Amino acid sequence: TAFSRLPAGSAQLLIVGEGPCRAELQQQASDLGCAARVFWAGAVVDASPYYGAMDVFAMSSATEQMPVALLEAMASRLPAVCTDVGDCAEMLGTRQRPFVLTPGDEEQMVEALGRLVQDAGLRAAAGDSNRARCIERYSRESMVRRYREIYRSAARPSA
């Protein structure tokens, strides 16, 4: 419902994925008067082209662990608004804290989305920060480096 509260014409909503609640969500969008601004991609094999169509990534999950979708959005240089569930806050880091929200807090979601929708500079800065953090902490090279350090440490003879 937070999306429906953004000014008409300020944003469109792209929903990528499929699930048993689609019909209910489509009805809700209609009831809230924003159905014409909501686009349903459905289930996709490769979501990367869809990230390229976005200006902001939003995830309002009630539960997560380490969502791949958030990592993909970060790698795609998108600013991200998400709920403080699972590892989301750690993934985004402290600089992105204003965009890590209390689950179920619609006011926070409206405010965070509104700020990003209205400020291209803020979107760019947050997206750049997300991409840099993703490369630094979650790239294949970073993972291999950290595993190598763990294995070398474990292989050292103890004193």
Side-chain angles (χ1 to χ4, degrees):
T1 60
F3 171 75
S4 70
R5 294 178 49 198
L6 295 175
S10 68
Q12 298 175 332
L13 178 63
L14 171 62
I15 298 178
V16 178
E18 192 66 54
C21 297
R22 181 174 176 157
E24 179 183 335
L25 292 171
Q26 287 175 317
Q27 184 60 52
Q28 185 178 27
S30 180
D31 294 345
L32 292 169
C34 63
R37 298 188 294 142
V38 180
F39 299 88
W40 306 85
V44 299
V45 173
D46 178 13
S48 59
Y50 295 94
Y51 292 112
M54 296 177 195
D55 292 320
V56 175
F57 175 82
M59 187 175 67
S60 60
S61 301
T63 181
E64 289 287 348
Q65 280 308 301
M66 185 178 192
V68 171
L70 179 56
L71 286 173
E72 290 172 341
M74 292 169 68
S76 298
R77 194 172 262 116
L78 285 171
V81 176
C82 66
T83 47
D84 191 1
V85 294
D87 296 325
C88 294
E90 172 61 27
M91 291 166 69
L92 287 170
T94 57
R95 282 185 271 166
Q96 299 300 325
R97 195 68 184 143
F99 302 114
V100 179
L101 317 175
T102 305
D105 191 327
E106 186 176 326
E107 293 304 318
Q108 284 183 340
M109 183 65 77
V110 171
E111 182 181 329
L113 289 173
R115 285 182 60 204
L116 288 167
V117 164
Q118 295 171 6
D119 190 337
L122 179 60
R123 286 194 309 271
D128 288 346
S129 176
N130 286 348
R131 172 125 173 107
R133 184 165 176 85
C134 188
I135 290 169
E136 173 192 333
R137 300 201 45 145
Y138 304 108
S139 67
R140 180 181 335 183
E141 293 79 13
S142 174
M143 179 190 69
V144 168
R145 182 180 64 249
R146 287 195 304 247
Y147 275 119
R148 186 178 296 127
E149 291 167 3
I150 290 168
Y151 292 146
R152 284 183 177 156
S153 174
R156 281 189 206 119
S158 54

